[in-house]
Amino acid sequence: MSTFLGIPGIRRRGTHDDGAPGGPAAADQPWGPVPHPDEPLRWGEAFPAAAKQTLRDDQLRRNLGHATRTIRAKRAAVVGEVPDWEALRDTGSAVKEQVMADLPDLLAQLEENVTARGGVVHWARDAAEANRIVADIAKAKEADEVVKVKSMATQEIGLNEYLADEGIAAIETDLAELIVQLADDMPSHILVPAIHRNRSEIRDIFLARMGDAPENLSDVPRELAMAARAHLRRKFLSAKVAVSGANFGVADTGTLAVVESEGNGRMCLTLPETLVTVMGIEKLIPTYTDLEVFLQLLPRSSTGERMNPYTSLWTGVTPGDGPQEFHLVLLDNGRTDVLADEVGRSALHCIRCSACLNVCPVYERVGGHAYGSVYPGPIGAILTPQLTASSGGVSGTDDVNAALPYASTLCGACYDVCPVKIDIPSILVDLRAREVDADRGRSGVDPWKAAMKAASWVMSDGGRFGLAGRAATLGHGLGGSDGVISTAPPPASAWTRSRDLPAPPKQTFRQWMTAHEKDGGER
């Protein structure tokens, strides 16, 4: 059986793992090469270029469309059963507002309670510190591999790759994360990392990369799940160290919570001798009773379930029961900068349900890889630029993440489904304004800026505006029988390359009004 150190090294198309041509990673196999970044929050091309590439993948769009439609329908059904759903959303939003207002005190309270119950709390200012803390703990236990619960925080800091460089294998135990890991891929969704894969592709990945996969493995979901279960069972039973994230940290008790659907989390959180949890500092809730609200909001918003199949809660160390050594790594990694922003800080309210991804028309067509970050979709479009900016989300066009706030139609569907009412569209607009302001005064000719200045000059004078309207009517004849212009000369060709342009009317409103008045209002 193969051993994978973190996310496996990239296997190029057309070669064996040892470089021989025609091997199991040949070009007809359903994976890679997908680059594994040094900066998990800033990798690949800017969104417009990356999206152009992913839009060419018809299979990807079919996979995404089918999966997101299914999740949307399930969510709508279970949310419709809750008569006080909007009140729950209001409460969740209010609790998160309180957390942001009292964060320093709540963090101190959490540390006190975790320590009092036998845990060890570590503070990590950035990814480098967090990775070093986890690696040092694993080395102290002489562990050459760790089992992992699905964790966005550890993806954000590139923990798997760091551990691999230190000679420690990080074994993903979530089924979708395992698929991504075996395929040398990157996650494409917050909740369903392998959403861009169909079951036929998954079967091929298992047969080629999972050393103990049955030779007659089919693409029936149950058989795929059972193959992964058998593959992982030995890892659960032999692991000395486990690494998890946390959905919630309860300040007044020191309790940590992980919710999941497969039982792999329960295995990781109870069997190993040592447990290390990496938690973003924003994941706090003030009291144990607050869990009641979020354990109703989260499963319905994420998987369309009434409750999580597995909800694991632990408080420090219990002698003779579960891990006998517990470490909590509190991760900042740019979060205090986001907290200081009066508009953008509500992005930290996110409970990682992924509901905004499942309703976003942009995400559904381009997938998660186009966002160039472990946080894709609408929440990624507001969170990633803020986490990676030196201050308040202002980075300018030299940063590939500067394009992310534009990866939206501003339709508002993300706000409608957000369980904690994050006003994502308003934050997108604010971040767009900051990016524009950050680029003011740059040297060189900016066609977009020049066009806006020209429009401002025309619209600031009634005569010029009327003349421009009359000139525009000359383009009426360019429209076809359907009244649209599908091909236009430059610079309008930049628009018609990807969408139709409505043909101008035969007359402007001013011309119509003049004729209307001459006819005595009879028209």
Side-chain angles (χ1 to χ4, degrees):
M1 182 172 65
S2 301
T3 296
F4 295 92
L5 297 180
I7 294 179
I10 297 172
R11 297 169 176 85
R12 298 298 179 185
R13 295 178 188 267
T15 63
H16 281 292
D17 292 346
D18 61 1
D28 60 347
Q29 299 295 342
W31 50 74
V34 176
H36 297 285
D38 293 329
E39 293 186 77
L41 291 174
R42 187 190 284 110
W43 57 280
E45 299 177 290
F47 181 85
K52 187 178 294 185
Q53 295 294 323
T54 57
L55 282 170
R56 297 171 182 170
D57 190 336
D58 293 339
Q59 184 63 59
L60 172 70
R61 293 204 306 276
R62 285 193 293 270
N63 294 348
L64 288 169
H66 173 74
T68 54
R69 284 193 299 272
T70 300
I71 297 172
R72 286 199 301 268
K74 289 179 63 180
R75 176 199 171 276
V78 296
V79 165
E81 299 172 348
V82 184
D84 60 344
W85 180 252
E86 289 305 314
L88 281 171
R89 292 180 71 206
D90 288 336
T91 303
S93 178
V95 170
K96 282 297 189 178
E97 288 280 2
Q98 178 188 350
V99 169
M100 296 302 110
D102 301 332
L103 188 58
D105 291 339
L106 290 173
L107 285 170
Q109 186 181 15
L110 177 71
E111 180 184 32
E112 179 182 355
N113 287 319
V114 169
T115 303
R117 289 161 177 79
V120 180
V121 177
H122 308 262
W123 298 81
R125 287 171 292 188
D126 53 27
E129 285 191 1
N131 286 332
R132 185 168 61 251
I133 291 167
V134 178
D136 287 347
I137 294 170
K139 289 178 180 178
K141 298 302 173 183
E142 299 182 343
D144 59 2
E145 67 180 26
V146 300
V147 289
K148 286 188 71 227
V149 187
K150 180 181 181 298
S151 164
M152 296 303 299
T154 60
Q155 290 176 9
E156 175 187 327
I157 63 178
L159 178 63
N160 287 14
E161 294 86 346
Y162 184 91
L163 291 178
D165 291 340
E166 297 293 314
I168 302 169
I171 311 298
E172 295 289 356
T173 65
D174 174 85
L175 176 56
E177 288 286 359
L178 177 65
I179 293 165
V180 169
Q181 186 175 54
L182 292 177
D184 237 356
D185 203 347
M186 290 291 288
S188 182
H189 191 278
I190 289 176
L191 183 72
V192 194
I195 195 173
H196 56 297
R197 301 291 189 186
N198 61 34
R199 63 189 191 182
S200 177
E201 292 174 317
I202 294 168
R203 176 201 60 205
D204 294 342
I205 292 167
F206 279 11
L207 288 172
R209 294 289 179 79
M210 186 186 289
D212 52 359
E215 293 182 0
N216 61 345
L217 183 66
S218 76
D219 64 358
V220 175
R222 173 178 169 78
E223 291 191 25
L224 295 172
M226 294 301 291
R229 179 186 183 191
H231 175 76
L232 291 169
R233 182 54 59 97
R234 288 189 293 275
K235 297 299 182 183
F236 289 135
L237 296 176
S238 63
K240 296 179 181 179
V241 177
V243 177
S244 83
N247 291 97
F248 307 105
V250 183
D252 73 343
T253 63
T255 301
L256 281 298
V258 164
V259 299
E260 38 101 10
S261 301
E262 300 172 16
N264 64 298
R266 181 69 54 82
M267 301 285 278
C268 289
L269 296 167
T270 57
L271 291 178
E273 300 169 1
T274 301
L275 172 62
V276 183
T277 297
V278 181
M279 186 185 87
I281 57 175
E282 82 282 12
K283 290 298 188 71
L284 278 174
I285 57 175
T287 70
Y288 197 85
T289 56
D290 292 325
L291 281 172
E292 178 216 352
V293 174
F294 293 99
L295 291 182
Q296 293 184 73
L297 290 171
L298 181 56
R300 285 178 168 84
S301 298
S302 57
T303 56
E305 296 171 296
R306 295 179 181 87
M307 64 182 294
N308 298 292
Y310 295 90
T311 300
S312 298
L313 305 173
W314 70 99
T315 306
V317 174
T318 301
D321 183 11
Q324 296 303 288
E325 187 172 329
F326 171 57
H327 297 263
L328 174 61
V329 181
L330 294 173
L331 176 68
D332 186 330
N333 206 35
R335 286 162 173 77
T336 53
D337 288 338
V338 182
L339 182 64
D341 188 295
E342 293 185 3
V343 176
R345 70 169 61 129
S346 61
L348 296 178
H349 296 185
C350 177
I351 59 175
R352 307 293 191 267
C353 70
S354 76
C356 62
L357 279 70
N358 299 326
V359 299
C360 178
V362 176
Y363 174 85
E364 183 177 343
R365 286 157 180 80
V366 303
H369 291 161
Y371 292 82
S373 167
V374 299
Y375 297 117
I379 187 62
I382 63 171
L383 183 59
T384 299
Q386 294 190 86
L387 289 177
T388 56
S390 59
S391 176
V394 177
S395 52
T397 54
D398 292 337
D399 187 342
V400 293
N401 286 340
L404 287 178
Y406 296 91
S408 170
T409 64
L410 299 180
C411 66
C414 50
Y415 173 71
D416 290 340
V417 299
C418 178
V420 290
K421 290 194 169 182
I422 301 172
D423 190 354
I424 294 177
S426 293
I427 300 175
L428 287 169
V429 172
D430 186 71
L431 291 176
R432 291 181 185 187
R434 299 184 201 188
E435 300 301 343
V436 171
D437 290 340
D439 287 324
R440 294 189 189 280
R442 293 171 63 94
S443 59
V445 177
D446 184 336
W448 180 254
K449 187 181 299 184
M452 291 298 100
K453 285 186 175 180
S456 176
W457 180 79
V458 170
M459 295 179 183
S460 63
D461 180 84
R464 291 195 292 264
F465 185 73
L467 181 62
R470 291 194 296 274
T473 61
L474 299 177
H476 176 75
L478 298 176
S481 59
D482 56 356
V484 299
I485 302 172
S486 56
T487 304
S493 59
W495 178 277
T496 57
R497 273 198 298 266
S498 56
R499 56 183 69 82
D500 291 333
L501 180 67
K506 289 183 179 180
Q507 59 180 182
T508 67
F509 175 77
R510 290 186 179 191
Q511 290 172 324
W512 177 88
M513 179 59 73
T514 299
H516 180 76
E517 290 175 345
K518 284 182 179 179
D519 292 343
E522 296 297 329
R523 284 179 177 264

